[in-house]
Amino acid sequence: MEATALSAIEFDEHFNYDNLNRRQRKRLRRESKKLIGLNKQLDLKYIHPMTHNQKRTFNSFNQGQQLLLHGVAGTGKTFISLYLSLKELMDQGLYEKVVIVRSVVPTRDMGFLPGNQKEKARVYEAPYYSICSELFNRGDAYDIIKNKGYVEFISTSYVRGTTLSDCIVIVDECQNLNFHELDSIITRAGENCRIIFCGDFRQSDLIRESEKKGINSFINVVNNMRSFDLIEFNESDIVRSDLVKEYILSKLKHGIYT
């Protein structure tokens, strides 16, 4: 993806304080002080959307919509979701962190892995280490923003009972969640929360057919909500590599969807 370094942010030039309530102004001042320091330590690349549906995603996000990005592998759904979320966090300071939620399917239980809870979760965070390394041009970028509290990773096993406020939530690989789990996550959204769902029902690791249908039911529900934009990524949006695109096209041609 074409990228250039993002310069330091001058908050007053990008935001109209008159449109904020008292709590938002206080939070903006607090977060901006911290984020100025973060911007000095990390330079976020500027990413251009590469396809029509990526451009739609950028526009919808910038208009404040909640998002459900659905479609084939290799289309950059997770990549652009994390980029847009981090850019919003670092530019505006209206959110305290980015929360990444992901299922631990196919096992649904991290107990088989060695180490403590934090060490077990690290296995499922590998894609975000890779994305952040590319976005910030340094291999320790994910560790830096996580240690500073700007990114939090949680599994769906620990969502219940929490309230997600003052954050942007990315629900990744959402095809591996049944309807009850998807319902549990969205009903955790508190004040000043934005949410992005990413997934593809054709890549589900779920075993029971009744659970696999959960994503389709969920899509039907949010597609009727004005606050949500459902963006369907198709074969023309594949940007990972020519090999991946060729393989997926051949797979779909033969009616193979898993």
Side-chain angles (χ1 to χ4, degrees), residues 5 35 43 49 51 86 207 231 251:
L35 291 171
D43 286 324
T51 69
L86 289 171
I207 297 175
I231 300 178
K251 186 172 69 170

Side-chain angles (χ1 to χ4, degrees), residues 202-218:
R202 286 160 292 204
Q203 299 183 70
S204 177
D205 293 317
L206 297 171
I207 297 175
R208 297 178 181 175
E209 288 299 321
S210 59
E211 291 193 324
K212 287 184 178 182
K213 294 178 181 178
I215 182 66
N216 293 319
S217 299
F218 185 75

